[in-house]
Amino acid sequence: MAVMPAGAQEPQRGAPAVQPGRLTRVGTIDERFQSYNVEMLEVTGGKFWKPYKEIGKPAAQPSAASGREAQSGDTPAGMSADLYQHRPPLALTNRRLRAMARALGPAYMRISGTWANTTYFADTDTPPKNPPQGYGSVLTRQQWLGAIDFSRAVDAPIVTSMPIGTGTRGADGLWRPDQARRWLAFTKANGGTIAAAEFFNEPTMASMGGAPKGYDAAAFGRDFRGFEPFMRKEYPGTKLLGPGSVGEANADWAVAAGGYGNMEVLPAAELAASTRNADAFSYHHYGAVSQRCAAMGQQTSADQALSEDWLGRTDQTLAFYRGVRDKAMPGKHFWNTETADTACGGNPWAGTFLDTFRYLDQLGRLARQEVDVVMHNTLVASDYGLLDENSFAPKPKFWGALLWRKLMGTTVLDSGVPIAAGLHVYAHCLRVVPSGVALMVINTDKNMAGAMNVPAPALRYTLRATELQGTHVELNGKVLELGHNDALPALTGIPIPAGDVSFEPASITFLALPNASNDACR
């Protein structure tokens, strides 16, 4: 049993109980459920979110470009250039980076993002120095070969989106697949796998994403009616996702409601009317904008990071898009193709243990609600990355991700414990072990221990940190860190007997019950 830390209060009486052998199946998730984003801009190099220490005024104002057609360059329309800083292409051959990504496999690697909408693939050995008219950046053969090789090496097939800017369009303004065809043909010829594709990244705010001036839902529909048959005919093995909306919810914190300057929002309901035949409903979720974009939408604070309001925003966004899905794409499952703590690169505490609660709680919530895949933004870049963008060392969320990968299988169970203030309990079949059960118990209370009766022996894996906004994480009291030659530490559970189990304040515990004898897990 866990030793109570000094100052912590004893758990309340009437603790809930779980019956691991009787938990019922509520759904399944993709084997690659836990996935991640590598921005297209990381592959090409260019301007991405500036570190906080480099920003003169966190509350940077949006530029006067809101709503105008994207010009050549790598600052999205409507955004202040002061928020961005140039970075070289990501070192996809780095040994540590590959080792860390491989440890999360199998996964999907989404190579997309706002900049992908206007990226030109230079299918030549002598790529142009500057992008052609109507594009914002150049992707070279060597850069894309590096992405393909990384994808294969770490067991993460690619999910992506198409270039859709003015450079891809004919005189009639309609999207043409010529550029996409060359790029996808090159990918296939060189051993790459495009597992799934959206038409373009976040059409909700099309003007920011590089779409032509005046682009609306009707234009999206006309374009999708060209994209879909092209993909079905020439790349039938690639799943089509849509509409790829972002930032909508029936709440005033929704980042597409009044945020990002004065850019027009294209509602998901209007976009999804054209994506009825897609294989899954895709959407993005951010519960707020980060401090970088303070002038563009509602923020949150570190004090709220364990609150039910903050964690519950994951459900609110999905509920909104579920309503759209039920009308336009009934029966289709969800792919959350981009999510993190906040938009605009994440808050300063996104790289600390504090955000691990949001990360794992989000996985637990979405797994039981028809969400097949969740793609965290990002693997590396900016504050919200799973790895440090300079050293590629694990951030706290990475250790949580490894435990999820080790223990939580693809069959989702009903834990029988409702989400409530303090203790959040999620249940899956135990990975690899037939009839076994895995529980993830998140205690969001900073002061009071939680308790639960577990009538079977288990292996316990508890994550805690001395400082919630620190970067050092302990597993069962031992600090997690890389060993010699970047060897990952052994993630070993502590045997505990059946009975009442205590969960320390502000902790995350996985319980593995290999002898649960659950029929749903056989």
Side-chain angles (χ1 to χ4, degrees):
M1 300 297 177
V3 177
M4 291 288 294
Q9 301 178 35
E10 289 290 338
Q12 297 177 343
R13 294 183 180 275
V18 294
Q19 297 293 331
R22 300 179 185 177
L23 302 184
T24 58
R25 175 186 177 279
V26 297
T28 59
I29 53 177
D30 194 297
E31 173 66 11
R32 303 174 189 273
F33 172 78
Q34 181 181 240
S35 293
Y36 50 81
N37 277 273
V38 172
E39 294 276 342
M40 179 65 79
L41 182 135
E42 293 181 79
V43 178
T44 63
K47 292 181 180 178
F48 200 57
W49 302 111
K50 185 182 293 186
Y52 281 100
K53 64 182 180 181
E54 303 295 335
I55 299 175
K57 295 182 178 181
Q61 299 295 318
S63 72
S66 295
R68 76 165 185 255
E69 182 179 349
Q71 73 279 14
S72 290
D74 45 15
T75 298
M79 302 298 284
S80 170
D82 294 337
L83 297 174
Y84 301 94
Q85 180 173 288
H86 187 272
R87 64 179 60 212
L90 182 62
L92 291 171
T93 58
N94 182 275
R95 181 176 58 82
R96 174 182 283 180
L97 174 59
R98 289 193 171 206
M100 299 303 103
R102 192 179 299 114
L104 297 177
Y108 293 113
M109 176 173 66
R110 180 174 180 263
I111 305 180
S112 180
T114 301
W115 292 266
N117 294 339
T118 53
T119 295
Y120 174 79
F121 175 60
D123 191 11
T124 173
D125 290 331
T126 55
K129 182 178 180 181
N130 297 309
Q133 184 66 31
Y135 292 91
S137 58
V138 174
L139 172 66
T140 70
R141 282 180 176 175
Q142 289 305 310
Q143 288 169 342
W144 193 238
L145 285 172
I148 292 171
D149 187 63
F150 182 88
S151 165
R152 297 177 64 184
V154 304
D155 193 7
I158 296 168
V159 175
T160 192
S161 59
M162 302 297 110
I164 53 84
T166 56
T168 67
R169 298 176 180 275
D172 57 3
L174 293 178
W175 181 78
R176 298 286 185 266
D178 305 44
Q179 169 70 190
R181 178 179 286 114
R182 286 192 292 271
W183 175 46
L184 295 176
F186 181 89
T187 304
K188 183 177 181 179
N190 287 278
T193 299
I194 304 295
E198 294 167 303
F199 176 51
F200 77 95
N201 181 75
E202 297 183 348
T204 311
M205 290 172 282
S207 59
M208 185 178 75
K213 185 177 182 179
Y215 197 85
D216 58 15
F220 177 86
R222 289 191 294 270
D223 286 344
F224 199 88
R225 287 192 291 274
F227 165 70
E228 182 183 349
F230 157 67
M231 292 296 294
R232 296 296 190 198
K233 179 182 178 181
E234 300 190 27
Y235 298 95
T238 297
K239 289 185 177 181
L240 300 189
L241 312 175
S245 297
V246 64
E248 297 167 274
N250 292 318
D252 59 5
W253 51 260
V255 300
Y260 292 91
N262 299 313
M263 285 177 282
E264 181 181 359
V265 170
L266 305 187
E270 297 180 17
L271 298 172
S274 303
T275 62
R276 295 179 183 274
N277 295 325
D279 298 299
F281 187 105
S282 65
Y283 75 100
H284 297 175
H285 166 73
Y286 293 99
V289 297
S290 74
Q291 290 182 359
R292 288 184 184 84
C293 293
M296 302 177 197
Q298 288 203 20
Q299 301 175 77
T300 189
S301 66
D303 291 341
Q304 295 299 309
L306 299 183
S307 70
E308 296 304 306
D309 170 71
W310 173 245
L311 298 173
R313 293 182 183 188
T314 291
D315 290 341
Q316 291 184 61
T317 294
L318 179 56
F320 178 90
Y321 287 125
R322 184 181 299 280
V324 176
R325 188 280 309 264
D326 289 348
K327 293 180 180 179
M329 300 170 61
K332 302 295 175 68
H333 279 212
F334 295 96
W335 281 42
N336 183 326
T337 49
E338 190 176 308
T339 189
D341 70 314
T342 53
C344 300
N347 275 317
W349 59 88
T352 73
F353 182 60
L354 185 60
D355 191 48
T356 308
F357 291 82
R358 188 275 317 164
Y359 176 82
L360 289 173
D361 188 71
Q362 192 170 66
L363 293 181
R365 287 174 186 263
L366 296 181
R368 61 188 194 178
Q369 297 188 74
E370 298 182 292
V371 180
D372 289 345
V373 178
V374 178
M375 298 181 169
H376 180 72
N377 205 29
T378 60
L379 176 63
V380 177
S382 203
D383 297 270
Y384 46 28
L386 295 172
L387 304 172
D388 182 272
E389 61 187 342
N390 297 309
S391 68
F392 304 140
K395 291 182 180 180
K397 283 190 293 285
F398 178 84
W399 301 117
L402 280 189
L403 282 172
W404 178 284
R405 162 53 54 195
K406 175 183 176 70
L407 300 171
M408 305 295 273
T410 58
T411 298
V412 187
L413 305 172
D414 181 358
S415 72
V417 182
I419 292 178
L423 221 57
H424 296 186
V425 184
Y426 303 100
H428 286 224
C429 291
L430 183 61
R431 189 175 294 276
V432 180
V433 181
S435 78
V437 168
L439 301 176
M440 181 173 70
V441 184
I442 300 175
N443 186 359
T444 61
D445 195 307
K446 298 178 184 179
N447 301 305
M448 182 172 287
M452 189 169 67
N453 184 268
V454 183
L459 291 173
R460 177 181 187 135
Y461 306 77
T462 294
L463 295 174
R464 291 197 78 245
T466 303
E467 298 180 9
L468 280 176
Q469 293 190 55
T471 57
H472 295 293
V473 182
E474 296 176 358
L475 173 62
N476 296 330
K478 184 177 181 180
V479 174
L480 291 169
E481 56 188 352
L482 297 178
H484 181 64
N485 287 332
D486 297 329
L488 290 165
L491 302 180
T492 305
I494 296 176
I496 60 172
D500 289 340
V501 182
S502 177
F503 303 96
E504 300 170 49
S507 66
I508 301 168
T509 297
F510 291 84
L511 296 176
L513 299 104
N515 299 316
S517 299
N518 188 301
D519 288 340
C521 299
R522 295 190 186 279

